[in-house]
Every structure is written in C-alpha cells, then in structure tokens.
Amino acid sequence: MIVEIDNLVKKFDDASKVIDINRFTLEDNEIISIFGRSGCGKTTLLNIIAGVLGGYEGGVNVCGVKLNSLNEKELDSFRAKNIGYVFQNFNLLQGYSAYENIELSLRIAGYKYRAGEIMEYFEKTGLINEACKYPSQLSLGQQQRVAVLRAVIKKPPLILADEPTSSLDSINSDAIIGLLKKCAAEAGSALITVSHEKEVICAFDKNIDFNDINCRTHIKAGGEK
C-alpha cells in the first residue's frame, strides 16, 4: 500500500473543514486522477500526502511511514527519496538550467545516477536541445516537461501531479498527461493527478470525484468512475 489515510480532518483558521476523509487507499503502481472544482481541497490533499502540509487530525501513511511521526528534516529527506511532485506552477529554479534543476533534485534525494543518464531522459522527453537553457528561455510546455522529468527521473514509489496542464494548450496538455502516465508505468510508480479539466480526467482509466472522497464513507482508489 503506497498511501493509506484514516480519519483525516484538516481545518483552517476559520474552523471550516476542507478535508474530511474516513478512509482512502492507493495501491502500489496504481494510476488515478482525482477531479473536482477549483478550491475544493484537491491541492490540500496532495500537500498532506506529500508531507508539505501538517496540522491535521488522523493518520496519513505513505510508503509505510506515518508522516506525522517525522520531524521537518526527516520529512524533507523522506519526500526527496520517495515522492516526485509536479507542481502547478512548475517550481523550477530560475537561476539554474533545465539540466541543473534535474541534477540538483537528484543530489538532494541522494540518488546515485550514472554519467549520461540525465541527458538520456532529456532525449526521451524531447528536451535534448533545451537541457542547457534556463526556465525563462523555455515555453510553458517545455517547462512543464522539465518539471515532470524532475519528478520521475529518480523513479519514486509515488508521483503527485497538481493541475499539471492548467497553463497549457490542448496539444501540450495531452503530451504532458501521456508523459506522466508513461513514465509512471515504466518506473513502477503510483500516480495521483488532480485536475478540474474534463480532458485530463478522461485520459485516465481510473478517476475519482473529490466529493466522493471527502466524506465519511470508505472509498478506494480504482473504484467506480
């Protein structure tokens, strides 16, 4: 089991419950989308699963580790080694080239990569001519492909993608979703993609309405569409 959530409640300062999940599970190698309107709490859920956001009640286990048992330093190390996160706004370091963005993420994760491996991934993702360029020199579609590459290259057990196509046109959107699914399958990673876009939702065989997750009933990833 890659993700196991029990009795999760996340409240904000106004005491409103954004997350209220009785049970949610994600199996090894499972690839799903979670859909729902903007602002419903999808990103909040991903940030909790990634260990980016705390202050919740209940249990969140990822890769067999109870996240709220880890301190901040331990969470950073755990996340770097076990989770690939594709952020909605890319989160590329502007002062580093595309290649350096990837290399730095591998170093932080302690990933032992061989010479030429990074360039092989750039070639695989159609970015061989962009490796030495800075994010500001790349199109939005190219930036997102670099962000996907950064998330998948270390072959983490879990990949999270937050609205990965929100800034892209339909052609680039299709390419990014295809790349995410292909890389996750090749690496044997589980993948959760959240989106409010119908085109993205329809690209997945397994998809879940966030409103069905965010209630006091049990739902397992891969259930009814």
Side-chain angles (χ1 to χ4, degrees):
M1 197 81 68
I2 289 295
V3 178
E4 191 169 8
I5 292 174
D6 289 291
N7 301 312
L8 172 64
V9 176
K10 173 62 181 176
K11 299 178 182 179
F12 287 98
D13 292 340
D14 61 0
S16 63
K17 292 182 180 179
V18 174
I19 302 293
D20 188 359
I21 297 174
N22 183 40
R23 181 156 175 81
F24 171 79
T25 58
L26 183 75
E27 300 286 349
D28 296 10
N29 314 121
E30 196 161 18
I31 295 176
I32 69 166
S33 72
I34 297 176
F35 65 93
R37 61 178 175 77
S38 297
C40 68
K42 305 184 303 298
T43 295
T44 299
L45 177 59
L46 282 196
N47 285 339
I48 290 172
I49 293 172
V52 173
L53 183 63
Y56 54 81
E57 301 171 13
V60 179
N61 290 272
V62 179
C63 301
V65 176
K66 189 174 182 180
L67 295 188
N68 61 11
S69 70
L70 304 178
N71 60 38
E72 187 173 344
K73 184 177 180 180
E74 290 169 337
L75 273 172
D76 287 342
S77 177
F78 174 83
R79 188 184 310 111
K81 293 177 181 178
N82 294 282
I83 298 174
Y85 205 145
V86 183
F87 294 90
Q88 185 174 349
N89 60 353
F90 314 146
N91 271 24
L92 299 177
L93 299 175
Q94 296 301 312
Y96 292 77
S97 68
Y99 181 95
E100 290 167 338
N101 267 273
I102 305 303
E103 185 177 44
L104 180 61
S105 70
L106 292 176
R107 288 182 178 178
I108 291 173
Y111 184 92
K112 305 296 183 183
Y113 57 94
R114 57 182 171 76
E117 183 177 359
I118 298 176
M119 292 307 296
E120 288 176 7
Y121 268 84
F122 271 100
E123 185 170 12
K124 183 187 298 187
T125 54
L127 291 167
I128 191 69
N129 295 321
E130 282 69 43
C132 294
K133 293 181 180 179
Y134 291 90
S136 62
Q137 298 172 309
L138 302 176
S139 69
L140 291 177
Q142 289 169 339
Q143 289 181 59
Q144 189 62 297
R145 274 188 283 166
V146 173
V148 170
L149 197 165
R150 181 181 58 189
V152 305
I153 192 171
K154 59 188 177 184
K155 299 180 177 65
L158 177 63
I159 299 170
L160 305 174
D162 182 16
E163 300 279 6
T165 64
S166 61
S167 301
L168 307 178
D169 58 35
S170 59
I171 295 176
N172 277 307
S173 294
D174 291 344
I176 289 299
I177 293 303
L179 179 62
L180 269 170
K181 292 168 60 180
K182 177 183 178 181
C183 289
E186 289 179 349
S189 303
L191 168 65
I192 302 176
T193 298
V194 302
S195 181
H196 66 275
E197 299 178 9
K198 291 182 179 180
E199 295 80 3
V200 174
I201 298 161
C202 293
F204 288 81
D205 294 329
K206 299 178 182 178
N207 49 69
I208 297 173
D209 187 333
F210 184 77
N211 289 330
D212 291 336
I213 297 175
N214 203 31
C215 62
R216 305 304 294 179
T217 57
H218 174 268
I219 184 166
K220 183 176 180 179
E224 294 292 323
K225 293 185 179 180

